[in-house]
PDB file of all heavy atoms in Angstrom:
ATOM      1  N   ILE A 206     -15.731  13.102   2.477  1.00 98.00           N
ATOM      2  CA  ILE A 206     -16.737  13.028   1.340  1.00 98.00           C
ATOM      3  C   ILE A 206     -17.902  13.895   1.724  1.00 98.00           C
ATOM      4  O   ILE A 206     -18.823  13.421   2.476  1.00 98.00           O
ATOM      5  CB  ILE A 206     -17.123  11.558   1.060  1.00 98.00           C
ATOM      6  CG1 ILE A 206     -15.893  10.692   0.776  1.00 98.00           C
ATOM      7  CG2 ILE A 206     -18.079  11.577  -0.190  1.00 98.00           C
ATOM      8  CD1 ILE A 206     -15.096  11.075  -0.411  1.00 98.00           C
ATOM      9  N   LEU A 207     -17.915  15.104   1.233  1.00 98.00           N
ATOM     10  CA  LEU A 207     -19.075  15.977   1.512  1.00 98.00           C
ATOM     11  C   LEU A 207     -20.276  15.532   0.652  1.00 98.00           C
ATOM     12  O   LEU A 207     -20.072  15.093  -0.463  1.00 98.00           O
ATOM     13  CB  LEU A 207     -18.706  17.486   1.205  1.00 98.00           C
ATOM     14  CG  LEU A 207     -17.580  18.008   2.059  1.00 98.00           C
ATOM     15  CD1 LEU A 207     -17.306  19.499   1.545  1.00 98.00           C
ATOM     16  CD2 LEU A 207     -17.922  18.023   3.556  1.00 98.00           C
ATOM     17  N   HIS A 208     -21.479  15.739   1.179  1.00 98.00           N
ATOM     18  CA  HIS A 208     -22.673  15.359   0.406  1.00 98.00           C
ATOM     19  C   HIS A 208     -23.302  16.486  -0.323  1.00 98.00           C
ATOM     20  O   HIS A 208     -24.472  16.465  -0.641  1.00 98.00           O
ATOM     21  CB  HIS A 208     -23.618  14.682   1.416  1.00 98.00           C
ATOM     22  CG  HIS A 208     -23.042  13.474   2.059  1.00 98.00           C
ATOM     23  ND1 HIS A 208     -22.860  13.397   3.449  1.00 98.00           N
ATOM     24  CD2 HIS A 208     -22.443  12.350   1.559  1.00 98.00           C
ATOM     25  CE1 HIS A 208     -22.249  12.273   3.752  1.00 98.00           C
ATOM     26  NE2 HIS A 208     -22.016  11.591   2.671  1.00 98.00           N
ATOM     27  N   TYR A 209     -22.525  17.504  -0.618  1.00 98.00           N
ATOM     28  CA  TYR A 209     -22.864  18.601  -1.462  1.00 98.00           C
ATOM     29  C   TYR A 209     -21.593  19.032  -2.153  1.00 98.00           C
ATOM     30  O   TYR A 209     -20.497  18.740  -1.696  1.00 98.00           O
ATOM     31  CB  TYR A 209     -23.457  19.776  -0.592  1.00 98.00           C
ATOM     32  CG  TYR A 209     -22.540  20.267   0.455  1.00 98.00           C
ATOM     33  CD1 TYR A 209     -21.683  21.373   0.204  1.00 98.00           C
ATOM     34  CD2 TYR A 209     -22.457  19.641   1.676  1.00 98.00           C
ATOM     35  CE1 TYR A 209     -20.853  21.835   1.185  1.00 98.00           C
ATOM     36  CE2 TYR A 209     -21.584  20.112   2.653  1.00 98.00           C
ATOM     37  CZ  TYR A 209     -20.804  21.187   2.407  1.00 98.00           C
ATOM     38  OH  TYR A 209     -19.918  21.639   3.365  1.00 98.00           O
ATOM     39  N   GLY A 210     -21.737  19.873  -3.193  1.00 97.00           N
ATOM     40  CA  GLY A 210     -20.510  20.266  -3.851  1.00 97.00           C
ATOM     41  C   GLY A 210     -20.711  20.661  -5.281  1.00 97.00           C
ATOM     42  O   GLY A 210     -21.849  20.644  -5.839  1.00 97.00           O
ATOM     43  N   SER A 211     -19.585  20.945  -5.952  1.00 98.00           N
ATOM     44  CA  SER A 211     -19.592  21.375  -7.335  1.00 98.00           C
ATOM     45  C   SER A 211     -18.874  20.372  -8.209  1.00 98.00           C
ATOM     46  O   SER A 211     -17.774  19.844  -7.743  1.00 98.00           O
ATOM     47  CB  SER A 211     -18.972  22.744  -7.481  1.00 98.00           C
ATOM     48  OG  SER A 211     -19.679  23.701  -6.741  1.00 98.00           O
ATOM     49  N   PRO A 212     -19.346  20.068  -9.421  1.00 98.00           N
ATOM     50  CA  PRO A 212     -18.642  19.111 -10.294  1.00 98.00           C
ATOM     51  C   PRO A 212     -17.218  19.535 -10.575  1.00 98.00           C
ATOM     52  O   PRO A 212     -16.896  20.721 -10.724  1.00 98.00           O
ATOM     53  CB  PRO A 212     -19.505  19.118 -11.548  1.00 98.00           C
ATOM     54  CG  PRO A 212     -20.780  19.706 -11.209  1.00 98.00           C
ATOM     55  CD  PRO A 212     -20.519  20.624 -10.033  1.00 98.00           C
ATOM     56  N   GLY A 213     -16.293  18.599 -10.520  1.00 98.00           N
ATOM     57  CA  GLY A 213     -14.904  18.875 -10.910  1.00 98.00           C
ATOM     58  C   GLY A 213     -14.100  19.463  -9.778  1.00 98.00           C
ATOM     59  O   GLY A 213     -12.894  19.704  -9.923  1.00 98.00           O
ATOM     60  N   LYS A 214     -14.688  19.686  -8.600  1.00 97.00           N
ATOM     61  CA  LYS A 214     -13.935  20.363  -7.496  1.00 97.00           C
ATOM     62  C   LYS A 214     -13.540  19.306  -6.478  1.00 97.00           C
ATOM     63  O   LYS A 214     -14.106  18.260  -6.312  1.00 97.00           O
ATOM     64  CB  LYS A 214     -14.856  21.381  -6.810  1.00 97.00           C
ATOM     65  CG  LYS A 214     -15.355  22.528  -7.732  1.00 97.00           C
ATOM     66  CD  LYS A 214     -14.131  23.328  -8.234  1.00 97.00           C
ATOM     67  CE  LYS A 214     -14.670  24.557  -9.096  1.00 97.00           C
ATOM     68  NZ  LYS A 214     -13.559  25.357  -9.592  1.00 97.00           N
ATOM     69  N   GLY A 215     -12.445  19.632  -5.785  1.00 97.00           N
ATOM     70  CA  GLY A 215     -11.998  18.806  -4.670  1.00 97.00           C
ATOM     71  C   GLY A 215     -11.057  17.736  -5.133  1.00 97.00           C
ATOM     72  O   GLY A 215     -10.631  17.671  -6.293  1.00 97.00           O
ATOM     73  N   LEU A 216     -10.714  16.818  -4.213  1.00 97.00           N
ATOM     74  CA  LEU A 216      -9.767  15.742  -4.442  1.00 97.00           C
ATOM     75  C   LEU A 216     -10.193  14.893  -5.619  1.00 97.00           C
ATOM     76  O   LEU A 216     -11.343  14.515  -5.763  1.00 97.00           O
ATOM     77  CB  LEU A 216      -9.657  14.860  -3.224  1.00 97.00           C
ATOM     78  CG  LEU A 216      -8.737  13.673  -3.276  1.00 97.00           C
ATOM     79  CD1 LEU A 216      -7.299  14.151  -3.192  1.00 97.00           C
ATOM     80  CD2 LEU A 216      -9.052  12.669  -2.170  1.00 97.00           C
ATOM     81  N   ARG A 217      -9.252  14.514  -6.467  1.00 98.00           N
ATOM     82  CA  ARG A 217      -9.519  13.620  -7.605  1.00 98.00           C
ATOM     83  C   ARG A 217      -9.333  12.154  -7.145  1.00 98.00           C
ATOM     84  O   ARG A 217      -8.363  11.828  -6.450  1.00 98.00           O
ATOM     85  CB  ARG A 217      -8.546  13.974  -8.733  1.00 98.00           C
ATOM     86  CG  ARG A 217      -8.966  13.369 -10.078  1.00 98.00           C
ATOM     87  CD  ARG A 217      -8.337  14.030 -11.294  1.00 98.00           C
ATOM     88  NE  ARG A 217      -8.707  15.479 -11.358  1.00 98.00           N
ATOM     89  CZ  ARG A 217      -9.833  15.945 -11.900  1.00 98.00           C
ATOM     90  NH1 ARG A 217     -10.726  15.101 -12.372  1.00 98.00           N
ATOM     91  NH2 ARG A 217     -10.039  17.290 -11.950  1.00 98.00           N
ATOM     92  N   LEU A 218     -10.285  11.356  -7.525  1.00 98.00           N
ATOM     93  CA  LEU A 218     -10.322   9.936  -7.025  1.00 98.00           C
ATOM     94  C   LEU A 218      -9.338   9.101  -7.808  1.00 98.00           C
ATOM     95  O   LEU A 218      -9.167   9.266  -9.072  1.00 98.00           O
ATOM     96  CB  LEU A 218     -11.718   9.424  -7.151  1.00 98.00           C
ATOM     97  CG  LEU A 218     -12.832  10.201  -6.460  1.00 98.00           C
ATOM     98  CD1 LEU A 218     -14.180   9.500  -6.664  1.00 98.00           C
ATOM     99  CD2 LEU A 218     -12.551  10.340  -4.972  1.00 98.00           C
ATOM    100  N   GLU A 219      -8.748   8.094  -7.145  1.00 98.00           N
ATOM    101  CA  GLU A 219      -7.852   7.169  -7.767  1.00 98.00           C
ATOM    102  C   GLU A 219      -8.308   5.759  -7.372  1.00 98.00           C
ATOM    103  O   GLU A 219      -8.778   5.519  -6.279  1.00 98.00           O
ATOM    104  CB  GLU A 219      -6.444   7.379  -7.259  1.00 98.00           C
ATOM    105  CG  GLU A 219      -5.811   8.704  -7.623  1.00 98.00           C
ATOM    106  CD  GLU A 219      -4.392   8.874  -7.093  1.00 98.00           C
ATOM    107  OE1 GLU A 219      -3.544   7.879  -7.251  1.00 98.00           O
ATOM    108  OE2 GLU A 219      -4.105   9.889  -6.424  1.00 98.00           O
TER     109      GLU A 219
END
Side-chain angles (χ1 to χ4, degrees):
I206 307 297
L207 299 177
H208 302 119
Y209 59 94
S211 300
K214 300 295 185 181
L216 178 75
R217 196 161 298 278
L218 304 180
E219 299 179 46

